[in-house]
Amino acid sequence: MTRLILATRNAGKITELHAILADAGLDLDLVGADAYPEIPDVKETGVTFAENALLKAHAMARATGLPAVADDSGLAVDVLGGAPGIFSARWSGTHGDDKANLDLLLAQLADIDAPHRTAHFACAAALALPDGTERVVEGRLHGTLRHTPAGTNGFGYDPILQPDGHTVTCAELTPAEKNAISHRGKAFRDLAPVVRELLG
Ligand code: ITT
């Protein structure tokens, strides 16, 4: 079976990607970057989600000699001009501290009322092959930000984003409900046929 590396060390993303890619009918041996602890994390020097997703996918494909997919994603808040955006994982200064990132964002938005609390999750899904072939697609999930977190599912900013058309936050949706509407679900469902075509 063809091996496809999931070029991420974010446990929340890995769980979602397994479900999304399996539902998309990809019959591949999916292996997370944790299986390659000796490969260093690539510096996210890009200024767009697509650039960073491609950087991560290419680094892993080059280092392993295997095809790799990567996800670069984040929360874009309209009143903050799209921030935290590509800085979502490191907004509070400590990379990957979901609680500190969320608490800082809520404090920054404390005086902003509902009509102006619009935001979206964005995800760039990239595929890179060892020969340098690359593809990237993007997905979004629009919603509004709550004043207080609710729900325990998911990760990151899920407890504060209420998707448009819903009355609960992403963290109150089941994993399947979130994947059906999420930025990540949309991007990787669009990437799946490309993966199938290029990997056979
Ligand atoms: P990798 O680079 O190893 O994939 P990372 O967590 O550093 O892991 P990113 O640079 O793409 O990944 O940052 C993504 C951040 O955006 C993540 O840490 C969350 O804070 C936020 N985020 C992305 N998707 C999310 C989702 O579905 N729900 C909640 N927050 C999300």
Side-chain angles (χ1 to χ4, degrees):
M1 194 187 278
T2 306
R3 178 169 281 202
L4 178 65
I5 313 293
L6 304 178
T8 172
R9 299 189 203 278
N10 179 317
K13 287 186 188 178
I14 289 181
T15 303
E16 293 185 7
L17 289 177
H18 274 287
I20 293 164
L21 294 175
D23 282 354
L26 283 188
D27 195 18
L28 296 167
D29 176 24
L30 301 176
V31 177
D34 282 352
Y36 298 89
E38 69 285 3
I39 298 177
D41 283 340
V42 66
K43 267 199 181 159
E44 296 188 24
T45 54
V47 296
T48 64
F49 293 113
E51 284 174 8
N52 282 335
L54 285 166
L55 278 173
K56 292 190 265 191
H58 278 300
M60 195 54 83
R62 257 196 318 271
T64 61
L66 294 168
V69 289
D71 162 314
D72 200 66
S73 47
L75 178 68
V77 180
D78 293 330
V79 74
L80 294 178
I86 59 166
F87 303 104
S88 293
R90 43 191 152 144
W91 192 235
S92 65
T94 309
H95 193 115
D97 188 338
D98 284 358
K99 184 170 177 346
N101 290 335
L102 186 151
D103 286 345
L104 175 59
L105 186 70
L106 281 183
Q108 290 165 327
L109 297 176
D111 297 336
I112 305 299
D113 290 328
H116 302 295
R117 294 179 74 87
T118 51
H120 67 267
F121 281 136
C123 172
L127 168 70
L129 307 187
D131 70 2
T133 302
E134 65 176 38
R135 299 286 188 277
V136 63
V137 296
E138 299 193 36
R140 288 183 175 191
L141 174 62
H142 289 270
T144 53
L145 297 175
R146 294 277 190 87
H147 280 273
T148 49
T152 54
N153 293 334
F155 65 98
Y157 301 90
D158 278 337
I160 55 170
L161 187 96
Q162 178 175 312
D164 289 345
H166 292 255
T167 55
V168 296
T169 69
C170 284
E172 295 174 292
L173 296 173
T174 65
E177 286 169 340
K178 180 186 168 189
N179 291 341
I181 60 167
S182 79
H183 49 313
R184 183 164 298 104
K186 287 173 192 156
F188 279 88
R189 276 191 294 277
D190 280 355
L191 191 69
V194 180
V195 173
R196 198 176 292 116
E197 182 198 324
L198 290 177
L199 301 194

